Amino acid sequence: MSITTKDATAGTARRAPDGRGLRERLGGPAVFCAVAVLALVAAPLLLEPFRLNLLAKYLVYAIVALGIGLAWGQGGMLTLGQGVFFGLGGYSMGMHLKLTEAQGGLPDFMVWSGVEELPALWVPFADPVFALATAVLAPVALAALLGTLIFRQRVRGAYFAILTQALAAAFAILLVGRQGLTGGTNGLTNFFELFGHDLASDSTQRGLYLVVAVVLGLLYLGARHLVNSRFGRLLVAVRDGEDRVRFLGYDPATVKTVTFAISAGMAGLAGALFVPVVGIISPALLGVVPSLELVVAVAVGGRYALAGAVLGAVVMGYAQTAFSERFADGWLYLQGALFILVMTLAPRGIAGLLSRRGRA
């Protein structure tokens, strides 16, 4: 008797009634095209350079949130350590930009730290292809290794979340303690040029925004195709009934490891894009707190819909900027209140609320 993913998912659909309906409402071709036109055409024309740069930063975070939505919302893996993969991508790109600026010499922070010779770890990052490849492949390799070790031992739920959170904390501590190699607490900053283009110019920042928007759109389409595929149905089945999937002859550890690695690759690519957009990468941007904030953003947007994860990252990013500009002393409380309000009124996030209104 043959076993298919249809068998594995039978009986689990009732546990997540919003799943497919949400994706169809929020990720349809018409909606995607409308958002793409707004992002690629309207935003560069309507927003001043400073606001456009902020929107680019929100979209970078949305790439990380998309990966979290794939791992957590579709696969049930609550990952609290995406900052590690984001940091690997960011430092890979930052190292390349610092070497470009140094023009064969030592980066400025190494001079200040008393380093006399360029560390061997830095040498390959002078090549932009190597830097970009490492930004994506290093997170994927690390996540694949961790997934193989963790999921084979059937570690899941809160234990998996704690392990990833501990990894983020350890990674941040490691970066802070290696001043001459990583820039320490300050991280890597003072970037002036990207592939021959002046990072301070409005045209370069506009081009970076378009690159980020296109990358996010392509990754969203790829993730949506994955979720709607046979693998995606198996992933949801693993989320809703891992033991049953194992009984039917599938290996949940492999499914979860592949998904976790894809999520890590997205975070690494986002980190590489973040550096030229924002102009800095430091331990403060990739530790436990930033990783938790991204998970909160996905929860606010709606973790069961990929579009909801993207929406949540943009909404929370905008809220953080708006609240901090108007209420310098209490914006964190307002941001927390926004999270509580959304979770109270719509436990499935903004996407769930929109889906419910669409059915009304």
Side-chain angles (χ1 to χ4, degrees), residues 28-40:
V31 175
F32 178 82
C33 290
V35 173
V37 169
L38 288 174
L40 297 176

Side-chain angles (χ1 to χ4, degrees), residues 93-286:
M93 177 57 70
M95 291 162 71
H96 169 70
L97 296 182
K98 293 303 291 184
L99 290 175
T100 301
E101 173 200 341
Q103 297 182 348
L106 292 176
D108 49 12
F109 75 90
M110 289 187 182
V111 176
W112 304 333
S113 302
V115 177
E116 299 180 354
E117 184 178 356
L118 186 68
L121 177 64
W122 276 67
V123 174
F125 288 92
D127 183 357
V129 176
F130 179 87
L132 286 172
T134 303
V136 177
L137 296 180
V140 169
L142 178 59
L145 175 62
L146 291 174
T148 300
L149 296 175
I150 293 173
F151 298 133
R152 293 292 176 189
Q153 300 299 319
R154 301 187 183 183
V155 176
R156 54 187 172 181
Y159 299 103
F160 173 75
I162 292 172
L163 280 174
T164 56
Q165 187 179 51
L167 179 65
F171 186 58
I173 293 172
L174 176 65
L175 292 173
V176 170
R178 302 302 300 271
Q179 172 69 39
L181 187 66
T182 65
T185 305
N186 295 326
L188 306 180
T189 186
N190 295 328
F191 307 119
F192 303 105
E193 184 179 308
L194 175 66
F195 305 147
H197 299 279
D198 182 11
L199 282 174
S201 69
D202 293 342
S203 61
T204 301
Q205 289 300 319
R206 188 178 299 109
L208 280 171
Y209 166 79
L210 293 174
V211 169
V212 171
V214 169
V215 169
L216 174 59
L218 292 176
L219 289 177
Y220 170 75
L221 290 176
R224 190 166 182 265
H225 176 74
L226 180 66
V227 168
N228 291 329
S229 68
R230 183 174 181 268
F231 180 87
R233 293 193 295 272
L234 183 58
L235 177 63
V236 173
V238 170
R239 178 195 70 190
D240 294 338
E242 182 175 335
D243 293 332
R244 180 177 181 180
V245 171
R246 184 179 293 107
F247 175 76
L248 291 173
Y250 294 96
D251 185 6
T254 300
V255 177
K256 294 169 74 172
T257 299
V258 170
T259 306
F260 187 42
I262 293 174
S263 173
M266 289 183 181
L269 181 56
L273 293 171
F274 179 87
V275 170
V277 168
V278 179
I280 186 175
I281 186 70
S282 70
L285 296 170
L286 48 92

Side-chain angles (χ1 to χ4, degrees), residues 28 64 66 87 92-94 97 105 119 135-136 162 170 188 203 208 237 249 290 327-328 332 335 339 359:
V64 187
L66 180 64
S92 295
M93 177 57 70
L97 296 182
V136 177
I162 292 172
L188 306 180
S203 61
L208 280 171
F327 308 100
L332 278 174
Q335 193 175 20
F339 170 66
R359 291 194 299 266

Side-chain angles (χ1 to χ4, degrees), residues 68 71-73 75-82 151 156-165 256 260 291-292 295-296 298-299 303:
I68 295 175
W72 182 31
M77 295 171 282
L78 177 54
T79 170
L80 302 180
Q82 290 299 94
F151 298 133
R156 54 187 172 181
Y159 299 103
F160 173 75
I162 292 172
L163 280 174
T164 56
Q165 187 179 51
K256 294 169 74 172
F260 187 42
S291 298
L292 288 173
V295 172
V296 168
V298 173
R303 67 186 178 101

